[in-house]
Amino acid sequence: MRTIKMTMFFMLAVFLTPLINTAQEFSATMDFENAEANVAVVSNYVNAVQNGDVETMVAQLADDAKIYGLSGGPANVMNPSQLSEYYKESFATSKHSIDPNTSYAPIKVTGGINEGEWVMVWTTDTISSKKTGQEIAIPAQVTCVVEDGKIAMMAHYYDQLNVMTSMGYTLQPPAE
């Protein structure tokens, strides 16, 4: 009797496996209805950074947007109000020059944990100190989720060590 039950359980598992696997299917495409509009929203944000226009930057964000990676690493998160203060301080001391060859890639993911409409951005933001004229080129990749015509999430990925060493900070090995 035990063998029959185990065989039936095994057969049931074999027959249900395709159902379980297809329940988590997902697809991704760059050709979707909101693709151009989503790129326009993110492009408006990037152009506002170039122009030092905090008001236009924040206007592209959802009220509850989460912005990662600008202050202290990818684990730190800002809301639109904090982002506004961050950039007001930055624009007071620095000018941002965004690479004119900035690339945008809209992607729509259906299913899975990454479901949504995304825009990926690859650029270089050259920051110039208004006081000293020192320039720091920061190659960056920015990932945005766009919902209802607004940026709901933005994650910045860039070489923070390059920025810090360009500002004169040094690394020291740990004490033994």
Side-chain angles (χ1 to χ4, degrees):
M1 186 72 169
R2 179 172 158 79
T3 305
I4 293 172
K5 284 183 181 177
M6 289 304 289
T7 303
M8 288 177 59
F9 177 73
F10 177 74
M11 293 305 289
L12 183 61
V14 168
F15 287 121
L16 290 178
T17 298
L19 295 175
I20 294 168
N21 287 339
T22 58
Q24 297 299 318
E25 278 190 30
F26 66 92
S27 65
T29 182
M30 295 179 77
D31 184 25
F32 60 98
E33 184 179 339
N34 297 327
E36 285 186 38
N38 290 352
V39 168
V41 167
V42 176
S43 179
N44 289 342
Y45 178 91
V46 171
N47 290 335
V49 172
Q50 166 82 30
N51 297 326
D53 184 353
V54 174
E55 187 175 310
T56 299
M57 291 169 62
V58 172
Q60 308 311 304
L61 302 173
D63 292 340
D64 60 348
K66 293 180 176 21
I67 300 96
Y68 297 91
L70 282 178
S71 62
N76 291 347
V77 61
M78 291 182 179
N79 62 38
S81 177
Q82 292 166 321
L83 177 93
S84 176
E85 292 305 312
Y86 174 88
Y87 271 107
K88 284 178 185 175
E89 290 178 25
S90 179
F91 293 150
T93 60
S94 307
K95 178 177 180 354
H96 293 251
S97 298
I98 304 296
D99 186 340
N101 296 314
T102 295
S103 299
Y104 300 88
I107 300 169
K108 181 174 183 173
V109 177
T110 306
I113 62 171
N114 294 317
E115 185 166 18
E117 295 179 2
W118 300 75
V119 176
M120 311 300 175
V121 182
W122 293 270
T123 192
T124 299
D125 182 0
T126 301
I127 300 175
S128 306
S129 168
K130 290 181 178 177
K131 184 177 180 180
T132 66
Q134 178 190 16
E135 291 186 348
I136 302 171
I138 306 171
Q141 191 280 318
V142 181
T143 301
C144 303
V145 173
V146 180
E147 296 174 353
D148 300 321
K150 299 282 187 174
I151 300 169
M153 189 281 298
M154 180 182 293
H156 298 78
Y157 304 96
Y158 61 96
D159 183 353
Q160 294 181 14
L161 181 59
N162 172 55
V163 175
M164 299 305 287
T165 56
S166 295
M167 294 171 63
Y169 290 89
T170 59
L171 286 178
Q172 294 182 6
E176 291 185 31

